[in-house]
Amino acid sequence: MKVSRIAAVGAVSGIAVLALSAPAFAHVSVQAEGTAAKGGYAVVGFKVPNERDNASTTKLEVNFPTDHPLASVMPQPVPGWKAVVTKTKPAKPLESHGKQITEVVSKVTWTADGKGIEPGYFQKFPVSLGALPEDADELAFKAIQTYDNKEVVRWIEVPQEGQEEPDHPAPVLELAAAEDDAHGSSGAKAEDDTEAAAQNTAASSDSGDGSDTTARVLGIVGIVVGAAGVAYGVLAGRRRDSGASA
């Protein structure tokens, strides 16, 4: 009996812990589709779960970092949602592919055309962005979630290392180490491999030419030797015929 009561109390306590901790996981988050490398471009998805059982999410506003402005931001169309991109002038002009960028994206706002994200569901909002900063390990995006009952939830608290996760954490994108491009060490290695292959091909060609020449010389020698042998045989035959006649 005591064991059963202890088990029941433990089960109830576990359910209570799960119930209390569940909201901490149900927040707006961002994750790269693949690798978000420093200095490169990436496609990321903002995941928005519905935390309410009596209202639907009908609007999402994602604010982009001002300390590391992004020159290129393009949202992917999401059925049932309209995306509006807001641009602003950066504090300092940016350069991308040799061109000066005078406008950057400050935020993207998605508004539902229909029911939005209903209770029990979530929605992903993909965005292509870059070039990612080379002097940062992560990017924080402050998001604002609006429900059809006019409730607004602000996911704007940037998590701090060594501290507990805040009640309304902002989505944070982790950046990976920079990758080598065609002009980096990988490109140099490819050029070295190509040059080595070309040298091997040339060496093989030279070797082939030498072999052909040797074969031709040996062939000619063989023909001469063969002709000499035939001539010797004919001459020897004539001598034998002459001796017999005598």
Side-chain angles (χ1 to χ4, degrees):
M1 183 64 69
K2 291 183 179 180
V3 175
S4 300
R5 289 180 180 178
I6 293 174
V9 172
V12 172
S13 300
I15 294 174
V17 170
L18 290 175
L20 291 174
S21 61
F25 295 97
H27 55 74
V28 178
S29 60
V30 61
Q31 186 174 6
E33 297 180 5
T35 302
K38 299 178 181 179
Y41 290 76
V43 175
V44 304
F46 291 94
K47 181 180 178 182
V48 183
N50 192 328
E51 293 186 303
R52 304 293 179 261
D53 56 7
N54 58 353
S56 297
T57 296
T58 55
K59 184 179 179 180
L60 173 69
E61 178 182 313
V62 176
N63 294 274
F64 286 74
T66 57
D67 54 344
H68 293 97
L70 301 174
S72 175
V73 176
M74 293 184 292
Q76 179 178 323
V78 178
W81 294 79
K82 179 182 179 181
V84 176
V85 178
T86 303
K87 297 183 178 181
T88 186
K89 292 184 178 181
K92 296 180 180 180
L94 304 178
E95 287 190 4
S96 178
H97 302 290
K99 296 182 180 180
Q100 193 174 61
I101 305 299
T102 58
E103 283 188 333
V104 296
V105 174
S106 58
K107 69 178 178 179
V108 178
T109 304
W110 287 270
T111 305
D113 293 333
K115 296 181 179 180
I117 309 172
E118 299 182 88
Y121 292 87
F122 73 90
Q123 178 67 54
K124 280 189 175 182
F125 299 90
V127 178
S128 173
L129 46 79
L132 298 173
E134 299 180 358
D135 57 348
D137 295 326
E138 61 184 23
L139 292 177
F141 301 85
K142 296 182 179 182
I144 300 175
Q145 182 179 9
T146 302
Y147 291 87
D148 57 5
N149 61 359
K150 307 303 180 182
E151 180 185 1
V152 177
V153 181
R154 302 178 182 275
W155 306 100
I156 61 175
E157 300 175 12
V158 180
Q160 302 297 324
E161 186 177 356
Q163 299 182 10
E164 294 183 359
E165 185 178 66
D167 294 334
H168 297 87
V172 176
L173 176 66
E174 301 289 339
L175 301 183
E179 297 179 346
D180 293 331
D181 56 19
H183 302 287
S185 58
S186 297
K189 183 179 184 301
E191 292 178 1
D192 293 342
D193 292 343
T194 302
E195 183 177 356
Q199 292 176 353
N200 292 335
T201 302
S204 300
S205 178
D206 294 341
S207 177
D209 291 342
S211 299
D212 291 343
T213 301
T214 302
R216 290 175 183 175
V217 171
L218 292 176
I220 294 173
V221 172
I223 293 173
V224 172
V225 173
V230 172
Y232 177 80
V234 172
L235 181 59
R238 288 180 179 179
R239 290 178 178 178
R240 284 195 299 270
D241 292 341
S242 298
S245 298

